[in-house]
Amino acid sequence: MRQYSADLTPAWKKSQPVPEVPADPGLVVEEPGTGFCGAVIGCEAGTVTLEDRFGKHRVFPMEPRGFLLEGRLVTLVRPASGPVRPSRTASGSVAVPGARARVARAGRIYVEGRHDAELVEKVWGDDLRVEGVVVEYLGGVDDLPSIVADFAPGPDARLGVLVDHLVPGSKESRIAEAVTGEHALVVGHPYIDIWEAVKASSVGIDAWPRVPRGQDWKTGVCRALGWPADNTGAVWQAILARVGSYRDLEPELLGRVEELIDFVTGSGGA
């Protein structure tokens, strides 16, 4: 019996070798499989990042015969001067070289406490400055209704709020439902405290301890792990120092912060 094997190689990659072209920044090429056309803004680890005229970024593998340059098939290779690094922000976004901070929008993102604000700044700070989004923190979720009322969110001044321990039936969820509207979005993560949104492995522990109900969570965690319970501020700074990028955070937090940035900037949602 004759044996057949599926050949999934696209037709444009089956012909003879084509010219190799350095992936210099600014070179405009098209990826024929998707039709995506854009300028090279970086390449690393066998991939190239393109930016189209609308500012959208796509990453493609630098495969032989993988791109069209002025209608001709070419193979992109790293520039002779070395790899063009698509330097990325801590959030994973492609950094915009030379980008200046945008004038602050009227819209704001509020987080529940200082530690939350410091974590958001460390991971998303570069993105927020480019978008002109300011992050402030609440004294506590109980203050949220009055803050939203005073802020008076509108089409040109959206308000996004990140709340800790936003689970069904909780006090936080009831307050969130009461203030959420067309121009105000309240989202949250399931963790009791923002510390817990940092991956345990990044901190060097197996798991975050369970703290009995009624005990102060931070103090209980410090005692369980042998950390100084009388100086939770110093403990937090040590935890924050272990966060290098979004990879050190739980996805339940990542998605919520990205959702708020999209909402406030108008790039997502209504």
Side-chain angles (χ1 to χ4, degrees), residues 10-76:
W12 66 80
K13 295 184 180 180
K14 294 181 179 180
S15 304
Q16 297 300 313
V18 297
E20 294 185 347
V21 177
D24 293 320
L27 180 73
V28 178
V29 294
E30 177 184 343
E31 199 286 316
T34 61
F36 188 90
C37 182
V40 173
I41 60 171
C43 65
E44 65 175 359
T47 65
V48 62
T49 303
L50 305 181
E51 180 181 63
D52 71 8
R53 61 192 181 93
F54 301 107
K56 183 177 180 180
H57 296 166
R58 290 282 297 273
V59 179
F60 298 100
M62 293 172 62
E63 298 179 344
R65 306 176 61 83
F67 298 88
L68 291 172
L69 175 62
E70 298 179 349
R72 298 181 298 110
L73 278 171
V74 298
T75 296
L76 289 186

Side-chain angles (χ1 to χ4, degrees), residues 119-174:
L119 184 62
V120 169
E121 162 61 28
K122 183 161 188 180
V123 177
W124 288 274
D126 290 339
D127 300 355
L128 292 167
R129 280 183 283 279
V130 169
E131 295 290 351
V133 177
V134 174
V135 175
E136 301 183 19
Y137 62 88
L138 309 166
V141 72
D142 291 334
D143 299 329
L144 188 54
S146 61
I147 288 175
V148 174
D150 291 342
F151 188 87
D156 298 321
R158 291 182 169 191
L159 180 63
V161 183
L162 178 70
V163 176
D164 295 341
H165 200 226
L166 192 61
V167 295
S170 65
K171 174 188 72 174
E172 291 83 0
S173 68
R174 291 191 292 272

Side-chain angles (χ1 to χ4, degrees), residues 7 15 23 27 31 65 123-124 132 144 160 166 191 199 204-205 214 216 222-223 238 243 249 266:
D7 184 0
S15 304
L27 180 73
E31 199 286 316
R65 306 176 61 83
V123 177
W124 288 274
L144 188 54
L166 192 61
Y191 306 111
K199 289 181 178 178
I205 58 178
D216 178 73
C222 290
R223 287 173 177 163
V243 177
L249 304 181

Side-chain angles (χ1 to χ4, degrees), residues 192-267:
I192 294 174
D193 190 275
I194 197 68
W195 289 19
E196 202 176 8
V198 179
K199 289 181 178 178
S201 58
S202 296
V203 182
I205 58 178
D206 293 332
W208 287 103
R210 292 187 177 277
V211 177
R213 194 178 184 87
Q215 286 190 23
D216 178 73
W217 191 85
K218 290 186 178 75
T219 302
V221 164
C222 290
R223 287 173 177 163
L225 295 173
W227 296 345
D230 60 345
N231 195 346
T232 57
V235 172
W236 166 245
Q237 292 305 316
I239 294 171
L240 188 62
R242 304 295 289 271
V243 177
S245 74
Y246 71 97
R247 295 182 180 87
D248 296 307
L249 304 181
E250 297 290 355
E252 289 84 354
L253 176 65
L254 296 174
R256 301 294 72 76
V257 175
E258 297 288 351
E259 184 179 358
L260 288 178
I261 295 174
D262 287 347
F263 178 79
V264 171
T265 60
S267 56

